[in-house]
Amino acid sequence: MEIAKSYNPKEAEENHYRIWEERGCFAPEINENPDARTFSIVIPPPNVTGNLHMGHALQHTLMDTLTRWKRMQGFRTLFLVGVDHAGISTQLMVTRQIKKDEHKTPQDLGREEFTRRVWDWKNKYGDTITNQIRREGLSADWTRERFTMDESLSKAVREVFVRLYEENWIYRGTRIVNWCPKDKTVLSDLEVKEDKKKDGKLYFLQYPIANSDRKITVATTRPETMLGDTAVAVNPEDERYRDLIGATIELPLTNREIKIIADEYVESEFGTGAVKITPAHDPNDYEIGERHNLEKLVVMNDDATMNEAAGADFAGLDRYKARDLVIEKFEELGLLEKIEDYEVVLPVCERCKTVIEPLLSEQWFVKMDEMRDLALNLMREENSPRFFPEVPHRKVYTTWLENLKDWTISRQLWWGHQIPAWYDEAGNVFVARTKEEAIEKAGSENLTQDQDVLDTWFSSALWSFSTLGWNGEVTETEDLRMFHPTDVLVTGRDIIFLWVSRMVMTALKFVGEKPFSDVIIHGTVLDKNGQRMSKTKNNGIDPLDVFDKYGVDATRMTLADSATGTDFAWRDEKVESFRNFANKIWNATRFCLLNSDGAQVDYSYLNPKAEAQEIVRELKGELNELDEEDEEFLDKVDPIFAKDNPKENLSVADRWVISRLNKTALAVNKALETYQFHEAVQLLYHFFWDDFCDWYIELVKDKITSEEPNVARDAARSRILTIIEQSLRLLHPFMPFLTEELWGKLPNVSNELHNAAYKSAEQTIMLADYPCGDASLIDERAEAEMQAVIDLISKVRNIRAEMNIKPSDKPAIHVAANAEYQNIFAQNEAQILKLARAESLNLSESLDVPKASAKAVIAGAEIAVPLEGLIDFDKEIARLEAQLTKLEIEATRLNGQLGNANFVERAPTEKVEEIRNRVAEIETQTGALKLNLEALK
RNA sequence: GCCGACUUAGCUCAGUGGUAGAGCACUCGCUUCACACGCGAUAGGUCACAAGUUCAAAUCUUGUAGUCGGCACCA
């Protein structure tokens, strides 16, 4: 067989994905079992404008690993993918492009033409990220791919809006909102981030009191807003100002007069204890304004320039120019008391980083109190969703819900779901699913639709069920019945509020059930210095580059190897080690294939009992009353499993590796059940590399490379191939491409190895049965015996290395042990001689060797390697003393424990017994070492 | 201000009451017929610090220091 010397990921990645998709392997319909349990997962929809980043790669790896694992277990799986329309980002991107190409603004084109252009852009470039997702190997059902602007999903959005409005859970109102003057749209609280500015200033402005020569000083970080002041507030308890309450201020730079009012909100200790109140430009001032019936004077335009209400001197000025001018004028008037340096925290737009302007405006809101209670009750009553890791996310989630404010859902954009509200000429609002319905409600055809669109997250909130066909008109579909609630959501911390919580609320409200059972919150991939990756820092690592350099499988392993929920610093060395692992798997398989004549993949080489059970099943048809015909039945089975049957005739090493394999399979499944991906990765890595490659292959190498065909050789070859086949299946959810590539090269693999649900599908490892591990094949005795052999070989190798014995020199090995251990070593003599590179193995009850021997002790045996003329006595003494010291330190500690009456009395008896045994073992070994040392001195 | 997490080998990280682990890097030795992306053998840690609970603490409790995150406030 031709097989390359090293693994080339590119070829495998290009071929297999296309084939899997073409054959429909990703679609749940591939599962033929009508009673199959289902497993479903929906992707957190990335932005249609987006590019794949490491966070996606991590998230997608975890989702796909779970999906592939469940699929192999025979679940009817759905991994649903799609993208969202990313209102602001997409509109900005297309706006920029039109400006560049045609020197036009969206307004020049008009709404209809502009949205057409956005669709053009989407159709042309919108599949960038989905193609990148294919590259990752995600086993997603592309026939069910969704987009938040799809007709049915849009219909769902309108339906939800109308119903919430009808129940008064959506309302329109005038509030202080977060306004981005660059994007010219309102933003929800969650889309506003903070930016610390060390070089901020606090300005102290003096306001003259009317009919008096007194002044009151207010402190502010935004002097320009004083043009919109409609009061100054002080704390009613503040002695300094008590007599001024109710006094009139002649507001400088304006010809307005404002009052001094008293409000508990003001903290006397802060600043001057007097606060200028600008109800139209500050959320707290707005509250005070409401309490005191203050005028709400808007002095800014939507682009953060001052408007006419700010006065002729200021109208048209940018907010920062206006600030300078206000200060200049105050200085001229002698009313600028001082300017202090002050660290300010500015709210900025998450996307464009422009400083947010709090602005009084009319918007649509979702009232969150009842919505919130739906989610809180679900958590209280069913502890759902379950967060992984539970700490801290469960608490963060519930605390956030408890303090939730109403959600601003309108956006001043053209790209998105236009709000289904129409106005008649009198300004009356009619919320309806369609214009026709609105006309009917209004009794008039002269209606104009609300110009705004809905927050993208409003449509994402419906993702778990709108993607499965729910749109208000259609509320029951086969997909909903089968796949909703989904099983697990995998997402990042930053999206718990924006998306996770809102999906919970809307699913409960509209489908009457939770959207998912479990939520995995994965960690953040940091750069190698532990810094967050960001465009501004330009320290991002492009997953596509990593795929090119190390392969997709190695990248997936690297990502899956991070502890669930924990941030980790990206290290190229780590991907490299998994690239090496992939190559190791490739070469181990290659080696076995180069020696595979006469061999076949056959699970009964690992588990003869399974074959016996299979025969039992087959014979059951003939032997209806099995119990009564035991003797006759056993006669039929026994000859097949006679002692000379190669499937039955297992060596210690065979039983050892089979035990290790099954322990690994059991533990991997257990780890995946609790989303401990890194645990599974570590188990597979160490089983395959350490147990299987470093020991088992080496132990059976002579046998399987034998030129001469015989039953024992072919059995060994079959066994090793079968272990590889099992390992590839175990690894497949993590390393889909490599495992598929190799699996297809093994002799006698076919769709017969598929899970029962996929028997008639074309052969592929992704539909093979996932090994669940067989506890009955765990053989502790074989593991203990094999450990003794490994220890013996390791000690001899150690002696060889320390004593600088040339590889070509083959010393004799003398071992003193009891009959049981002698027997174990005798059974493995050939392997011991080969792996320790020794001439002979001499077993006896006690050692009788020349003084010039290197010695070692292991549990149950003493080892000596005679090294006439080769031994360096000083070095040997140092070696033995090092071993002795190690053991004595341990003995001191353990004897200390045993000497403690409280320990012996209170610790569990097994523990005490264990330590006594260990002390006895150490005594034997130290005794031997001391005698050896004596002999050398 | 409130809540929370983290601190373990040179680096990146596992490890929730019973002998401190991995990968990488380091040191030494190997062109051993699958693999130098390899094989073999070493070395390396007061588990941040302090007190407490316990027969027993990296692990539980409290405090301290440092790092980071979320929320709130920010005149």
Side-chain angles (χ1 to χ4, degrees):
Chain A
M1 170 170 302
E2 286 296 313
I3 176 164
K5 245 187 127 177
S6 64
Y7 174 50
N8 176 2
K10 279 248 169 62
E11 286 173 30
E13 288 165 18
E14 280 164 14
N15 292 332
H16 296 306
Y17 197 82
R18 193 175 39 77
I19 294 170
W20 289 331
E21 192 177 344
E22 278 171 12
R23 291 186 184 168
C25 295
F26 301 152
E29 286 75 16
I30 191 98
N31 192 308
E32 302 153 30
N33 175 5
D35 304 320
R37 283 183 293 165
T38 60
F39 178 82
S40 59
I41 195 163
V42 291
I43 199 171
N47 287 356
V48 62
T49 60
N51 273 289
L52 196 71
H53 58 62
M54 266 308 168
H56 292 130
L58 169 58
Q59 184 174 92
H60 298 170
T61 295
L62 303 187
M63 290 191 289
D64 193 49
T65 299
L66 289 173
T67 306
R68 286 180 181 270
W69 169 57
K70 287 289 181 184
R71 185 184 292 111
M72 289 174 78
Q73 286 186 329
F75 283 66
R76 178 175 292 119
T77 58
L78 172 62
F79 183 178
L80 189 145
V81 291
V83 295
D84 75 33
H85 62 278
I88 297 178
S89 309
T90 314
Q91 174 147 351
L92 277 178
M93 172 167 297
V94 176
T95 301
R96 224 176 290 137
Q97 197 185 327
I98 291 170
K99 192 177 174 187
K100 190 167 151 257
D101 296 349
E102 307 172 41
H103 306 289
K104 281 184 180 163
T105 66
Q107 285 70 30
D108 294 339
L109 297 176
R111 182 170 194 141
E112 204 175 316
E113 176 62 14
F114 179 77
T115 47
R116 205 183 57 77
R117 298 290 184 95
V118 182
W119 273 111
D120 287 348
W121 182 92
K122 194 262 170 190
N123 293 331
K124 201 164 170 194
Y125 302 108
D127 55 0
T128 303
I129 192 151
T130 50
N131 285 332
Q132 292 169 335
I133 287 172
R134 283 182 159 87
R135 180 88 202 277
E136 296 177 293
L138 297 208
S139 58
D141 180 8
W142 294 100
T143 65
R144 284 177 172 81
E145 184 185 355
R146 297 288 183 262
F147 179 50
T148 43
M149 296 275 282
D150 286 347
E151 183 42 42
S152 181
L153 276 71
S154 301
K155 193 169 181 173
V157 166
R158 290 192 294 272
E159 178 72 22
V160 165
F161 186 94
V162 171
R163 284 207 211 162
L164 289 176
Y165 179 78
E166 284 168 353
E167 292 188 45
N168 292 320
W169 288 21
I170 279 183
Y171 65 92
R172 191 160 177 258
T174 302
R175 299 287 131 87
I176 294 274
V177 294
N178 306 300
W179 184 265
C180 176
K182 183 152 179 276
D183 298 343
K184 291 194 189 159
T185 179
V186 65
L187 301 172
S188 76
D189 295 345
L190 292 170
E191 293 162 293
V192 175
K193 298 294 161 204
E194 288 181 347
D195 187 15
K196 268 208 174 79
K197 281 267 186 282
K198 298 250 184 242
D199 58 349
K201 304 280 185 224
L202 188 59
Y203 303 88
F204 290 75
L205 307 179
Q206 297 175 332
Y207 288 180
I209 311 283
N211 307 317
S212 154
D213 50 8
R214 288 179 67 181
K215 300 183 183 92
I216 189 164
T217 305
V218 295
T220 179
T221 55
R222 297 195 301 150
E224 69 280 11
T225 63
M226 62 79 54
L227 299 166
D229 281 1
T230 53
V232 167
V234 298
N235 190 293
E237 303 300 318
D238 195 330
E239 295 294 338
R240 294 170 295 178
Y241 302 119
R242 192 169 274 178
D243 62 320
L244 287 176
I245 294 168
T248 301
I249 287 167
E250 291 172 343
L251 188 64
L253 315 187
T254 71
N255 46 22
R256 291 187 294 114
E257 292 189 336
I258 61 177
K259 294 281 188 199
I260 295 179
I261 59 172
D263 196 288
E264 300 281 354
Y265 161 78
V266 181
E267 288 172 41
S268 302
E269 294 73 31
F270 195 94
T272 64
V275 186
K276 59 188 277 308
I277 303 298
T278 325
H281 293 278
D282 182 283
N284 293 306
D285 293 7
Y286 179 84
E287 298 286 318
I288 294 175
E290 288 287 278
R291 283 200 286 276
H292 298 269
N293 261 324
L294 300 175
E295 188 195 346
K296 302 177 187 74
L297 185 63
V298 177
V299 293
M300 272 188 211
N301 299 310
D302 65 6
D303 59 354
T305 59
M306 309 310 285
N307 66 15
E308 269 111 49
D313 292 343
F314 299 95
L317 281 186
D318 170 77
R319 54 186 163 173
Y320 298 114
K321 293 241 166 62
R323 176 176 302 177
D324 295 342
L325 187 58
V326 165
I327 294 307
E328 197 183 312
K329 298 220 172 201
F330 263 77
E331 201 156 18
E332 281 169 18
L333 294 168
L335 295 175
L336 180 65
E337 189 171 300
K338 59 179 174 179
I339 302 175
E340 282 182 357
D341 289 336
Y342 190 72
E343 186 181 312
V344 290
V345 181
L346 297 173
V348 297
C349 172
E350 184 182 39
R351 283 178 199 81
C352 70
K353 313 296 176 205
T354 306
V355 176
I356 291 297
E357 198 58 45
L359 201 68
L360 190 66
S361 77
E362 188 170 42
Q363 303 290 343
W364 290 92
F365 297 88
V366 179
K367 196 155 65 76
M368 295 308 289
D369 44 3
E370 284 150 302
M371 290 282 262
R372 170 250 320 276
D373 287 343
L374 291 174
L376 281 174
N377 288 338
L378 182 72
M379 183 56 90
R380 250 194 304 273
E381 287 158 18
E382 296 178 36
N383 188 25
S384 174
R386 288 195 303 166
F387 282 95
F388 293 83
E390 186 171 32
V391 177
H393 300 113
R394 184 197 150 112
K395 192 175 170 186
V396 169
Y397 169 82
T398 48
T399 308
W400 181 78
L401 285 174
E402 282 158 2
N403 299 301
L404 195 47
K405 289 184 193 153
D406 289 355
W407 171 20
T408 324
I409 49 170
S410 40
R411 294 289 181 276
Q412 286 64 48
L413 303 170
W414 285 349
W415 175 240
H417 301 100
Q418 193 169 357
I419 292 177
W422 284 262
Y423 305 93
D424 66 14
E425 286 165 312
N428 297 309
V429 62
F430 302 94
V431 169
R433 289 160 187 83
T434 59
K435 184 165 187 184
E436 290 66 38
E437 197 181 314
I439 289 169
E440 200 176 308
K441 281 184 178 174
S444 156
E445 297 213 352
N446 200 2
L447 299 177
T448 46
Q449 188 170 0
D450 195 297
Q451 290 302 294
D452 292 349
V453 300
L454 289 164
D455 184 359
T456 306
W457 293 108
F458 189 89
S459 46
S460 307
L462 320 180
W463 188 251
S464 80
F465 53 92
S466 65
T467 53
L468 296 174
W470 189 99
N471 63 18
E473 187 181 353
V474 178
T475 56
E476 284 175 32
T477 67
E478 187 66 7
D479 276 3
L480 273 167
R481 191 185 60 72
M482 209 152 22
F483 300 117
H484 200 275
T486 62
D487 289 90
V488 54
L489 187 77
V490 183
T491 192
R493 270 191 287 277
D494 52 338
I495 234 115
I496 297 177
F497 307 144
L498 283 166
W499 192 50
V500 176
S501 63
R502 288 168 181 168
M503 277 212 287
V504 172
M505 294 186 247
T506 55
L508 288 170
K509 175 74 179 160
F510 292 96
V511 193
E513 61 186 19
K514 62 192 176 186
F516 33 72
S517 307
D518 296 346
V519 180
I520 298 173
I521 303 295
H522 63 249
T524 308
V525 188
L526 308 169
D527 75 358
K528 65 177 196 283
N529 301 312
Q531 301 288 311
R532 281 188 115 84
M533 294 183 191
S534 73
K535 276 183 192 151
T536 44
K537 275 184 275 187
N538 196 27
N539 61 345
I541 292 160
D542 187 343
L544 300 168
D545 292 343
V546 181
F547 294 162
D548 286 341
K549 195 165 173 195
Y550 301 102
V552 171
D553 289 329
T555 313
R556 289 170 59 119
M557 284 291 269
T558 305
L559 294 166
D561 190 44
S562 65
T564 308
T566 309
D567 295 353
F568 65 100
W570 180 266
R571 314 235 92 212
D572 275 352
E573 296 93 315
K574 192 163 166 177
V575 212
E576 210 174 298
S577 76
F578 283 112
R579 191 262 326 254
N580 296 349
F581 181 56
N583 194 50
K584 187 74 181 176
I585 297 168
W586 177 269
N587 272 292
T589 309
R590 174 170 182 264
F591 171 70
C592 295
L593 289 174
L594 293 173
N595 296 286
S596 63
D597 280 354
Q600 57 184 318
V601 169
D602 179 348
Y603 192 60
S604 63
Y605 280 96
L606 303 187
N607 186 5
K609 272 187 239 159
E611 190 172 38
Q613 280 157 9
E614 186 63 28
I615 291 166
V616 168
R617 254 198 306 279
E618 281 172 20
L619 291 179
K620 255 190 174 170
E622 301 169 23
L623 306 167
N624 285 328
E625 296 300 321
L626 185 64
D627 292 341
E628 290 172 18
E629 317 230 6
D630 253 0
E631 294 296 320
E632 190 187 335
F633 169 73
L634 284 174
D635 284 346
K636 291 199 176 185
V637 178
D638 263 347
I640 300 167
F641 290 95
K643 277 293 164 204
D644 58 354
N645 184 320
K647 291 179 180 176
E648 178 84 323
N649 201 5
L650 302 180
S651 70
V652 174
D654 295 334
R655 281 183 283 123
W656 169 78
V657 78
I658 291 166
S659 181
R660 301 293 310 146
L661 173 67
N662 282 283
K663 265 190 185 173
T664 303
L666 283 161
V668 165
N669 280 285
K670 198 176 164 199
L672 286 174
E673 293 289 353
T674 51
Y675 310 128
Q676 303 291 308
F677 300 92
H678 68 291
E679 181 72 21
V681 167
Q682 291 296 319
L683 286 161
L684 290 166
Y685 185 95
H686 287 115
F687 168 73
F688 196 85
W689 202 317
D690 300 349
D691 294 339
F692 181 64
C693 290
D694 286 349
W695 287 105
Y696 188 70
I697 290 185
E698 296 303 331
L699 286 165
V700 299
K701 205 171 220 175
D702 280 346
K703 198 184 268 180
I704 69 168
T705 52
S706 157
E707 299 280 324
E708 179 190 333
N710 62 62
V711 173
R713 182 200 75 171
D714 293 347
R717 288 181 167 188
S718 295
R719 188 162 295 118
I720 205 162
L721 272 177
T722 308
I723 293 167
I724 283 181
E725 196 274 336
Q726 291 285 303
S727 304
L728 293 177
R729 290 197 218 177
L730 285 167
L731 284 159
H732 179 260
F734 300 90
M735 311 181 87
F737 296 111
L738 168 71
T739 51
E740 181 75 298
E741 181 76 12
L742 288 175
W743 196 74
K745 294 183 191 296
L746 301 180
N748 295 70
V749 294
S750 71
N751 57 4
E752 282 303 301
L753 298 172
H754 283 182
N755 182 283
Y758 313 109
K759 286 289 188 201
S760 58
E762 280 192 77
Q763 124 180 20
T764 165
I765 193 174
M766 68 173 282
L767 301 177
D769 197 27
Y770 199 74
C772 57
D774 183 346
S776 73
L777 294 177
I778 290 174
D779 188 338
E780 295 297 352
R781 189 187 164 90
E783 293 207 28
E785 291 184 3
M786 195 61 220
Q787 195 56 51
V789 173
I790 287 172
D791 286 347
L792 171 61
I793 293 168
S794 297
K795 285 292 180 187
V796 176
R797 283 170 170 177
N798 174 241
I799 289 169
R800 296 187 65 104
E802 298 276 331
M803 293 296 142
N804 300 320
I805 298 170
K806 282 187 279 182
S808 50
D809 286 344
K810 293 195 167 182
I813 303 173
H814 293 260
V815 178
N818 64 23
E820 187 193 343
Y821 274 87
Q822 285 190 44
N823 186 34
I824 295 165
F825 297 137
Q827 278 180 41
N828 293 280
E829 181 174 1
Q831 289 84 349
I832 291 168
L833 293 181
K834 179 177 162 72
L835 299 185
R837 298 185 146 262
E839 178 67 40
S840 63
L841 179 65
N842 307 287
L843 302 166
S844 57
E845 284 286 333
S846 63
L847 284 180
D848 179 19
V849 290
K851 183 185 169 189
S853 298
K855 306 267 181 57
V857 288
I858 59 173
E862 257 190 277
I863 304 160
V865 179
L867 294 170
E868 198 62 56
L870 285 170
I871 197 157
D872 176 335
F873 284 96
D874 289 341
K875 215 179 202 178
E876 175 66 4
I877 289 169
R879 259 190 74 242
L880 295 180
E881 276 176 345
Q883 289 181 56
L884 191 56
T885 310
K886 223 181 228 173
L887 289 170
E888 279 175 339
I889 289 169
E890 194 184 342
T892 308
R893 186 170 48 78
L894 297 180
N895 279 319
Q897 282 190 326
L898 290 175
N900 182 342
N902 277 327
F903 172 72
V904 180
E905 212 172 288
R906 299 194 197 182
T909 47
E910 313 89 77
K911 181 49 66 182
V912 177
E913 198 49 36
E914 189 185 316
I915 289 182
R916 286 211 172 105
N917 290 339
R918 178 66 189 150
V919 167
E921 173 61 38
I922 290 172
E923 273 166 9
T924 311
Q925 295 193 11
T926 50
L929 283 170
K930 277 177 184 164
L931 282 174
N932 291 339
L933 272 168
E934 283 302 311
L936 288 172
K937 282 177 181 169

